[in-house]
């Protein structure tokens, strides 16, 4: 069968170069993509060449780039390299993009993933001129078979003035049936309850809608998603995962959560992978996941039956796992549900389900405030992503990191966070390789003692205790004692001397 | 009719002293009260005397005090004066209590009001030994007629081992029918959608349930609620309210919100009062309120018809307005709905309704991070209360304050907030008497310029610009430029020299 089964849309087939030429300077462009999954593979590359040529000819050519979350070098990388992006939102993790943002040559709006659709509907980033969306196919009615991520595709397709579709033959057409596209969200005063009470509930349709009249180009591609293979799980990640899993076992034992846990969310990366690996050898079965991204470890858990079903908005699979997904899509679509990020990250649903969230962090301070985004208070790493949607609304919200960075020169536990993304009110627990500090029900000074003694690297514990004692001595008030003249001194020392050690 | 219509409960009538004697050292006590409304008037005073006597006799006697929110001198004040409180949560505004917390002799857990019930159900503050709840009456079935606040009463009555009721004849019995007590909340995995799509929906019952077997004492009182009369609206509050209302008019004009706005939430105090007063002379009619507290100005708006109906969890009325409420309760119960704070502050409902929130703050920094709780980063004022529930989930979240404090020595707009309760991701707008900065869709540096030029006091603008320019010069990264060695320098200067001016 032809992947473009709708004759009217087949008639709009053209080259990536011709399609890219429909994107003009100053356009806001909504791209598909959430991690290196189902981002457009051809048009952004062609567009970057055209932008480069325009710049070489002395012409202005920059665009706004909106996505689901991070993408891949062919999108964020290529466009950043030619200085083609004026404003980027809502999340990125590309080295070139990050460099431009931190140089100050690219505007970046770092917003909660659940806020993206309502924010653009209201027009705060201007009009959406063009959508560039990768799909697995187009059916005879012109409906779109989604691919390996959903992200904000529904929103981009709905609101863009013109739509460019990339039909990527690399995706299995048997993905059809895996997705759950819910069309019931609205702006107030027309919002209604999201009709979901279980992570495996299906509440929408399997395809994405698009007005064929708005489609100005269809481009055929055949190229794999690009996600890096995770390193084998290291010892520190294993230790952190171990503390987290032990904590969950204890929560079950004291009757706070059911034996099959509550729906799990976890960030991407080595610690998350270690948690997933640890689950498979642990006592829990019939677990559900309500998360953003399905990585290799989750697929293993679905294979072994440890996880019954997983809800997410995207894959983030290594090349071999991605191939396996394509080969066995008809099997996995019974166990995996990919949803728009409006729903995967919806605060209402996360709170109702009582998600157990586990996310990485840049640093935490002794009182439990967490920095997820800014190194030394100024340099953005990636962005807040969905961590705020999950941290505020989950039943249990744990932040995890190795206790040190830069070969031991940075303590991840600091006197005062140099940037705050998750306040003391939203952090249930903090875990490093040294242990997990359960902060629930504790006042600030009790948190401080527990975080220092449980989570900080022993090399930094004396200095943290010294700060905490000193702060109590000099602080005018004792609810959250600080010496403001020294509170950020560890960061400043790192900037001046390359180490937080004194 | 006897206010205690249930014979079994009438048989448990006793003096406040005898009832207080049922509260033992180490008890956790869940008290009614949200602002100075429907807090128990007699038992806490008697208990404070017994605690004072125990201390005089060299005995330990301290308790945990849990409430709806702030209360009044007869509760927080009396118990703090005798050093009777070991742990206080979730919100307070009492001078004696605040003093003990900031001296370090009272533990205080400052948590989102929407998190209180789930947190105590899970036992993070220990067992609830005693509930002391003021009501307007007890019907023949033993059901309780709620009074001028609901707060966490439903939760305390449900989970406490023993219950002490104060039946206060000062409240009108015609309040019966005003309340909407929803019994459908649960811990996960048993949560279901809150069945509300309009601020005036009634989803529960008019009375509170209690197991008569658990009631160990019923105390009759006749004493008024105690809320201070607000000062007449001052010019600065009027100016701030004017900017906020102009902003709302503009939002209506550009079609972002309906002509009758979206449900309004506003904090308590002079600026909120000025906003309410301004609404009455403005263009909006048929407004709904979905808020925590009903203050005098809201009653005026209900009288004039500007506000159609108001949903809240408590009154916070001046003595004359409280008298009027008691006299005309049968009329107001058609227009006012008082709910448990689980519902008045429920993130799911706030987001669905698209609330427009307006809350006070201690300070905001140039990038839009807001401090609601800590003066100079260490001294707690009151607490976060419901501001986080509303800020994260409202369609529009505005923080307001005069631009200076302490006679001009403190700038409310600072280089870096000394404590963060609402991150840059959660603040739609900031307003002072100088103007309102709409921050939606702006990257950090654009926010900085707008906040400084719109909101800061002109006396502080040059120094703020100077900091911002300097930060861009020395900062290693330009996403959120800071000089960490100076970022908290304004606060330190105030601590050292009594002024933020250099």
């Amino acid at each position: 069968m032809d992947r473009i089964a709708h004759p009217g849309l087949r008639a709009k087939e053209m080259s990536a170069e011709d399609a890219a030429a429909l994107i003009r300077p100053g356009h806001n462009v909504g791209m598909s993509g959430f991690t290196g999954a189902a981002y457009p593979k051809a048009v952004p590359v062609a567009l970057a060449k055209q932008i480069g040529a325009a710049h070489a000819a002395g012409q202005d050519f920059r665009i706004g780039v909106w996505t689901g979350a991070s993408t891949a070098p062919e999108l964020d990388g290529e466009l950043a390299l030619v200085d083609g992006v004026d404003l980027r939102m809502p999340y990125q993790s590309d080295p070139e993009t990050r460099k431009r943002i931190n140089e100050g040559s690219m505007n970046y709006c770092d917003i909660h993933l659940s806020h993206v659709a309502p924010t653009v509907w209201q027009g705060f980033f201007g009009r959406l001129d063009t959508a560039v969306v990768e799909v697995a196919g187009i059916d005879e009615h012109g409906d779109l078979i989604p691919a390996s991520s959903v992200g904000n595709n529904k929103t981009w397709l709905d609101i863009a003035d013109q739509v460019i579709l990339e039909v990527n033959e690399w995706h299995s057409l048997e993905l059809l049936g895996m997705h759950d596209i819910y069309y019931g969200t609205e702006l107030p005063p027309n919002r209604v309850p999201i009709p979901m009470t279980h992570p495996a509930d299906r509440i929408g349709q399997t395809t994405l809608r698009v007005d064929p009249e708005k489609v100005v180009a269809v481009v055929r591609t055949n190229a794999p998603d690009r996600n890096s293979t995770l390193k084998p799980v290291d010892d520190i990640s294993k230790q952190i995962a171990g503390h987290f899993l032990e904590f969950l076992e204890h929560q079950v034992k004291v009757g706070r959560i059911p034996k099959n846990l509550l729906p799990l969310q976890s960030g991407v990366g080595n610690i998350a992978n270690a948690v997933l690996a640890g689950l498979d050898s642990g006592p829990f079965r019939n677990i559900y996941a309500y998360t953003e991204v399905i990585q290799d470890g989750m697929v293993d858990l679905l294979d072994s039956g440890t996880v019954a079903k997983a809800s997410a908005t995207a894959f983030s699979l290594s090349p071999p796992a991605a191939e396996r997904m394509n080969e066995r899509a008809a099997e996995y679509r019974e166990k995996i549900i990919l949803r728009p990020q409006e729903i995967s990250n919806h605060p209402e649903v996360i709170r109702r389900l009582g998600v157990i969230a586990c996310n990485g962090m840049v640093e935490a301070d002794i009182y439990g405030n967490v920095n997820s985004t800014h190194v030394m208070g100024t340099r953005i790493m990636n962005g807040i992503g969905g961590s705020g949607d999950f941290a505020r609304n989950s039943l249990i919200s744990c932040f995890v990191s190795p206790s040190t960075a830069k070969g031991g020169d940075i303590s991840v536990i600091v006197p005062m966070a140099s940037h705050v993304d998750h306040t003391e009110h939203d952090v249930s627990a903090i875990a490093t390789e040294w242990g997990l500090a359960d902060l629930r029900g504790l006042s600030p000074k009790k948190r401080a003692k527990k975080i220092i003694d449980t989570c900080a690297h022993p090399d930094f514990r004396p200095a943290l205790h010294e700060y905490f004692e000193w702060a109590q001595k000099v602080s005018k008030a004792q609810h959250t004692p600080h010496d403001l003249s020294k509170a950020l001194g560890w960061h400043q020392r790192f900037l001046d001397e390359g180490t937080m050690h004194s």
Side-chain angles (χ1 to χ4, degrees), chain A:
Chain A
M1 154 196 157
D2 192 333
R3 294 237 173 189
I4 310 173
H6 184 273
L9 293 178
R10 200 160 51 223
K12 296 181 180 177
E13 198 183 324
M14 65 178 77
S15 70
E17 290 68 28
D18 288 348
L22 299 168
I23 298 171
R24 306 308 311 149
H27 267 198
N28 288 318
V29 184
M31 308 256 197
S32 61
F34 195 108
T35 79
Y39 57 94
K41 313 280 189 297
V43 172
V45 176
L47 176 64
K49 280 202 189 111
Q50 293 170 14
I51 289 174
H55 288 178
Q59 293 154 3
D60 282 341
F61 196 161
R62 300 182 90 205
I63 61 170
V65 175
W66 312 351
T67 61
S70 59
T71 65
E74 297 103 302
L75 198 168
D76 269 315
E78 297 280 334
L79 288 170
L81 272 170
V82 295
D83 196 21
V85 181
D86 174 50
L87 182 139
R88 181 74 178 86
M89 74 103 179
Y91 183 88
Q92 57 73 38
S93 68
D94 177 72
E96 278 301 323
T97 298
R98 187 187 294 131
K99 191 178 130 199
R100 308 270 161 167
I101 295 168
N102 285 313
E103 278 172 6
S105 61
M106 191 190 295
N107 288 302
Y108 179 49
C109 285
D110 175 26
I111 59 181
H112 298 300
L113 295 188
S114 75
H115 282 186
V116 177
T119 305
V120 301
W121 288 339
Q122 291 176 89
F124 293 120
F125 294 100
R127 203 175 176 83
L128 184 63
D129 302 286
T130 306
V132 184
V133 173
E134 178 175 292
V135 296
I138 303 173
D139 73 13
E140 66 273 25
H141 311 294
D143 290 326
L144 311 178
I145 301 165
S148 51
S149 74
V150 181
N152 284 310
N153 292 352
K154 167 190 157 263
T155 304
W156 303 162
L157 292 165
D158 272 356
I159 67 170
D161 289 340
Q162 62 175 11
V163 172
I164 297 171
L165 298 172
E166 289 197 10
V167 178
N168 184 352
E169 299 198 353
W170 175 79
H171 297 291
S172 166
L173 275 180
E174 293 191 324
L175 291 172
L176 180 60
M178 183 181 281
H179 306 84
D180 187 57
I181 315 295
Y182 178 66
Y183 277 93
T185 55
E186 299 239 23
L187 282 176
N190 300 317
R191 285 183 178 155
V192 295
I194 308 293
M196 193 189 300
T197 54
H198 189 280
D201 284 348
R202 288 185 170 274
I203 60 173
Q205 59 183 63
T206 56
T207 53
L208 285 158
R209 298 192 307 221
V210 66
D211 174 2
E213 297 293 313
K214 290 204 306 189
V215 178
V216 293
V218 179
V219 177
R220 282 185 206 262
T221 66
N222 189 339
D225 282 345
R226 170 130 53 147
N227 281 300
S228 28
T229 305
L230 287 172
K231 287 173 278 185
V233 171
D234 59 289
D235 284 345
I236 285 188
S237 298
K238 258 186 217 164
Q239 288 158 19
I240 298 169
H243 297 307
F244 179 64
L245 294 169
E246 196 187 309
F247 165 74
L248 293 184
E249 279 192 55
H250 182 69
Q251 297 307 301
V252 171
K253 201 172 146 192
V254 298
R256 286 209 182 103
I257 55 177
K259 270 187 193 169
N260 71 335
L261 305 178
L262 287 164
L264 285 183
Q265 177 265 341
S266 70
V268 190
N270 289 318
I271 301 173
N273 228 27
V275 168
L276 297 176
L279 280 171
D280 228 1
S281 52
F284 313 116
R285 289 296 172 270
N286 198 30
I287 300 169
Y288 288 81
Y290 198 81
T291 189
E292 293 170 318
V293 162
I294 296 201
Q295 52 183 338
D296 291 20
M298 184 62 77
V299 180
D300 295 338
L301 292 172
L302 288 164
D303 284 346
S304 71
T306 300
V307 169
K309 290 194 181 185
S311 166
T313 190
F315 295 141
S316 182
L317 299 173
S318 67
E323 290 302 334
R324 181 167 56 145
M325 181 57 63
N326 272 335
E327 281 159 24
R328 295 164 55 189
E331 176 189 334
Y332 285 119
R333 75 187 171 202
E334 305 300 321
K335 296 180 174 178
I336 292 172
I337 304 171
L338 295 185
R339 311 179 189 273
Q341 72 196 65
E342 275 183 279
I343 302 300
S344 66
N345 286 54
H346 203 300
E348 173 180 330
V349 179
I350 295 167
R351 187 165 297 225
R352 184 178 306 140
L353 299 180
V355 168
I356 299 172
C358 181
N359 288 289
M361 62 178 177
V362 171
E363 63 184 8
D365 70 26
I366 56 175
Y367 296 115
N369 300 286
V370 166
N371 172 5
S372 290
T373 55
H374 284 70
V375 175
M376 301 300 139
T378 65
R379 189 164 74 84
I380 189 119
M381 283 293 292
N382 302 334
I384 192 166
S387 61
D389 298 323
F390 283 95
R392 175 70 62 88
N393 295 296
S394 293
L395 191 75
I396 299 173
S397 172
C398 183
F399 285 91
V400 294
S401 169
S403 66
T404 60
K406 294 269 173 201
D409 281 316
I410 290 178
S411 175
V412 162
I413 308 299
V414 292
M416 177 185 263
S418 60
H419 185 89
V420 177
D421 296 291
H422 308 291
T423 72
E424 53 166 336
H425 314 283
D426 294 329
V427 179
S428 314
I430 289 174
T432 67
E433 70 275 27
W434 301 98
L436 181 145
D438 184 352
L439 307 176
R440 295 172 296 178
L442 299 185
S443 53
K445 291 203 293 279
K446 293 189 176 174
R447 278 182 236 143
K449 278 182 201 139
K450 198 162 189 178
I451 292 172
I452 297 172
D453 290 334
T454 312
C455 301
H457 192 287
D459 290 354
F460 283 106
R461 282 185 203 173
L464 285 166
H465 275 299
E466 196 182 315
Y467 174 83
F468 181 50
E469 294 302 320
W470 172 257
Q472 291 175 79
K473 198 172 290 176
V474 302
S475 187
K476 257 190 99 165
Q478 296 296 318
H479 182 58
T480 308
H482 267 303
D483 178 350
L484 296 184
S485 74
K486 297 192 196 303
L488 297 172
W490 291 32
H491 300 85
Q492 191 60 46
R493 192 183 304 132
F494 178 82
L495 291 171
D496 294 342
E497 302 168 21
T499 181
M500 282 186 174
H501 287 292
S502 59

